[in-house]
Amino acid sequence: MNNSGFWRSPLDPERVMNTRVTRWQESVQEQREEYLTVEEPCEVRLGGRSLAVIMRTPGHDHELALGFLLTEGIIQGAEDVLEVRTACDSDGLPLANVVEVTLRAELMEDVAARTFRRNFAVSSSCGLCGKDSIADVFCTSEPLPPDNLHIPASRLYGLPVLLRAAQAVFTHTGGLHAAGLFSTQGELVLLREDVGRHNAVDKLIGHGLLQGTLPYSRFILLVSGRTSFEIIQKAVRARIPCIAAISAPSSLAVELAEQSGITLIGFLRARTMNVYSHPERIEHF
């Protein structure tokens, strides 16, 4: 235990901590242990220079760094990245919570001119904290082209149950968002949990960069909370044609989804859903 009263949980010491709380039920109180989701800063460096500090849940940090670089438009694809690794100190020892990314040499000069002046500091609740102006938040990616993707409504109805069942850390802490990548057959292909919604999505996208499975043009993205503008922006970069959420979208999310050719679904629960844009991809049972 440290001086603050927290200690690493044997359940998942990287992502879960324990603490003591006073629990009240009606007029009765008791002392008990509870699980907490870990939130820590992760520094992303390019060529030895600090680019961003992202508040996140530890785990899959290389994916997070690459997903962040792609969805921020700093890189265009895996071909721009020469190496991603845990940074080391002057003695060659690994630095906790620091990821070093090496880009193609010819890209670095342009990236430095466009990027290092921005001083990113990304909280777990904000996916747009490094932007200089309103114009910067609009995605420069081309809209998704028309496709022949058709998804039965019955398959969509089953996705929230599969996502919730796979959320191991959330089960214990109740403090994590989830992003799940599903096939059009309704199979959960990949899950990432994080204290930040946008971080979970970046980790999914970063995984695709590392594994060479991008673009995600035949997959469904399901997020556990609401859908805000930056989630759509990230999906456009990853070429995801369908996004579903347990809760509501924002007005700007709906607008961008419509403009970008993305099918956006909200309130996917208990065999009901609202389809806000491009409903042509959803078909009857």
Side-chain angles (χ1 to χ4, degrees):
M1 184 189 301
N2 60 30
N3 293 333
S4 63
F6 303 106
W7 62 98
R8 294 288 178 175
S9 171
L11 172 73
D12 186 339
E14 186 177 39
R15 298 186 293 169
V16 179
M17 298 192 81
N18 286 27
T19 190
R20 288 194 177 94
V21 302
T22 302
R23 179 176 174 82
W24 284 79
Q25 185 170 3
E26 299 291 345
S27 61
V28 178
Q29 62 170 306
E30 63 173 340
Q31 302 295 310
R32 59 185 289 180
E33 290 185 13
E34 286 287 344
Y35 297 114
L36 297 175
T37 299
V38 174
E39 182 178 23
E40 292 178 347
C42 177
E43 181 183 359
V44 179
R45 295 179 181 176
L46 289 182
R49 299 177 63 181
S50 181
L51 171 71
V53 176
I54 304 172
M55 299 306 299
R56 92 312 185 199
T57 300
H60 309 289
D61 286 343
H62 292 183
E63 294 179 356
L64 175 62
L66 291 186
F68 176 81
L69 293 177
L70 180 73
T71 59
E72 287 291 331
I74 296 168
I75 61 175
Q76 301 304 312
E79 66 278 3
D80 291 333
V81 180
L82 298 182
E83 183 184 27
V84 56
R85 61 181 177 83
T86 300
C88 295
D89 62 17
S90 57
D91 295 322
L93 299 175
L95 286 170
N97 299 330
V98 182
V99 178
E100 176 75 39
V101 181
T102 304
L103 304 182
R104 293 185 292 109
E106 57 269 30
L107 182 62
M108 275 305 303
E109 183 176 349
D110 179 59
V111 169
R114 291 186 296 111
T115 304
F116 285 112
R117 61 185 174 84
R118 288 164 60 180
N119 296 319
F120 287 100
V122 184
S123 77
S124 56
S125 61
C126 174
L128 300 172
C129 301
K131 302 301 185 183
D132 288 330
S133 66
I134 292 175
D136 285 338
V137 306
F138 286 94
C139 186
T140 57
S141 298
E142 291 292 324
L144 274 65
D147 56 48
N148 61 354
L149 191 66
H150 296 289
I151 307 167
S154 58
R155 286 191 190 140
L156 288 165
Y157 291 146
L159 302 190
V161 173
L162 295 175
L163 185 75
R164 179 65 185 83
Q167 289 182 255
V169 177
F170 178 86
T171 299
H172 297 282
T173 68
L176 284 177
H177 291 286
L181 195 67
F182 288 84
S183 72
T184 55
Q185 302 305 309
E187 300 167 334
L188 179 59
V189 176
L190 188 64
L191 171 78
R192 290 293 180 261
E193 291 181 287
D194 198 278
V195 71
R197 266 188 318 274
H198 55 279
N199 291 341
V201 175
D202 276 344
K203 289 177 178 181
L204 287 182
I205 294 171
H207 180 88
L209 280 171
L210 285 170
Q211 301 301 319
T213 54
L214 282 182
Y216 289 148
S217 55
R218 306 295 293 182
F219 291 92
I220 303 162
L221 173 66
L222 176 63
V223 294
S224 59
R226 63 185 177 86
T227 309
S228 50
F229 174 89
E230 71 269 19
I231 300 298
I232 308 297
Q233 185 183 33
K234 292 174 186 298
V236 176
R237 297 284 294 175
R239 316 309 281 168
I240 299 172
C242 182
I243 304 172
I246 307 301
S247 192
S250 70
S251 62
L252 202 54
V254 174
E255 181 181 345
L256 182 59
E258 180 64 40
Q259 292 175 357
S260 301
I262 289 176
T263 299
L264 177 59
I265 298 164
F267 295 106
L268 179 59
R269 57 180 81 158
R271 300 185 71 78
T272 63
M273 61 181 166
N274 292 345
V275 183
Y276 293 89
S277 61
H278 294 279
E280 64 274 6
R281 290 194 180 99
I282 312 302
E283 60 184 16
H284 294 291
F285 288 69

